[in-house]
Amino acid sequence: TALEGHKDGTYSSAARSAATKLLDLIPGDTRHLLLELSGKVKLDTKGRQVAGAALKHLSQAIAEKRTVEFRYQSYSSGSLTERKMDSYGLVFRGHSWYVIGHCHGRSEVRTFRLSRISALRLTDSVYKYPKDFSIERHLDKSWHIFQGAETDVKIRFSKKIAPLIIEHQWQKRQQITKNRDGSIVPFDKG
């Protein structure tokens, strides 16, 4: 199965066991099709090995609502800072894992890339997950994973690039205006 390729051991044994149990519950024709596809479908998980241990610890921290402490290597400044955070969720985007949560030092919800986290440890401090927080709503106004002040922009894509843009939904409320010359202008209808 695809899970056999995961050699970091973080969850692969448990995942293979679960997959085997699920496979036994699938009707015969569908099970046969899935078994025929084994080894022929690849899920690209670049960055997985670096994040394996951090994923395991952060998953535990989220489940137990425990504050974590870690060192973070900033991409923009290059500096290494000590962070303390209440982790709200994990997101996989663009070949990388990210953790989203309340950063104690900044007193706001922040997003951290797991590959830039080191010396991660769970503390004994327990936090309350905010009732009004939703990972989906938090990411709704992000561009990929990035957030910041909202700025309205209008981008015109040429006829040559238009098909590549159309085949992907960049935003939930995305609409696309098609021009006579074949170019397009995507926009958020929200």
Side-chain angles (χ1 to χ4, degrees):
T1 67
L3 295 171
E4 291 170 355
H6 294 248
K7 296 180 175 46
D8 66 359
T10 306
Y11 293 112
S12 18
S13 176
R16 276 193 301 276
S17 175
T20 300
K21 290 174 186 173
L22 288 172
L23 196 57
D24 289 340
L25 299 173
I26 296 173
D29 289 347
T30 305
R31 181 176 42 246
H32 176 73
L33 177 65
L34 289 172
L35 290 171
E36 284 297 317
L37 289 173
S38 179
K40 297 173 181 88
V41 177
K42 182 178 181 331
L43 175 62
D44 191 1
T45 56
K46 294 175 185 169
R48 169 190 41 79
Q49 291 156 331
V50 173
L55 267 177
K56 184 175 182 178
H57 294 306
L58 287 166
S59 297
Q60 179 182 353
I62 292 166
E64 297 174 3
K65 296 177 183 66
R66 289 172 56 191
T67 300
V68 294
E69 294 178 342
F70 57 88
R71 289 190 192 111
Y72 191 70
Q73 183 78 43
S74 170
Y75 173 77
S76 57
S77 71
S79 62
L80 188 65
T81 57
E82 299 286 330
R83 302 292 181 132
K84 191 173 189 178
M85 183 173 113
D86 301 335
S87 307
Y88 296 161
L90 294 161
V91 177
F92 186 79
R93 291 236 172 125
H95 302 296
S96 297
W97 279 101
Y98 297 86
V99 61
I100 298 170
H102 176 79
C103 176
H104 290 228
R106 300 285 174 98
S107 296
E108 63 184 7
V109 174
R110 299 293 297 255
T111 303
F112 298 96
R113 187 174 177 156
L114 267 59
S115 60
R116 296 191 197 119
I117 290 177
S118 61
L120 174 68
R121 74 174 199 87
L122 278 68
T123 70
D124 292 328
S125 299
V126 178
Y127 63 90
K128 285 192 175 197
Y129 192 94
K131 292 179 183 177
D132 61 340
F133 184 80
S134 157
I135 295 286
E136 191 159 320
R137 277 194 319 272
H138 179 74
L139 293 173
D140 192 38
K141 293 187 176 187
S142 67
W143 182 261
H144 181 57
I145 196 77
F146 308 103
Q147 294 195 337
E150 287 189 33
T151 303
D152 290 330
V153 296
K154 194 172 188 178
I155 303 172
R156 182 177 162 264
F157 292 95
S158 70
K159 180 180 179 177
K160 184 176 180 179
I161 299 296
L164 297 173
I165 302 303
I166 290 170
E167 70 186 21
H168 183 77
Q169 182 174 351
W170 301 92
Q171 291 289 328
K172 282 185 179 183
R173 300 175 306 260
Q174 170 178 303
Q175 284 190 345
I176 294 177
T177 301
K178 294 181 181 180
N179 300 317
R180 288 183 188 167
D181 65 357
S183 66
I184 61 165
V185 178
F187 65 95
D188 182 346
K189 65 181 177 182

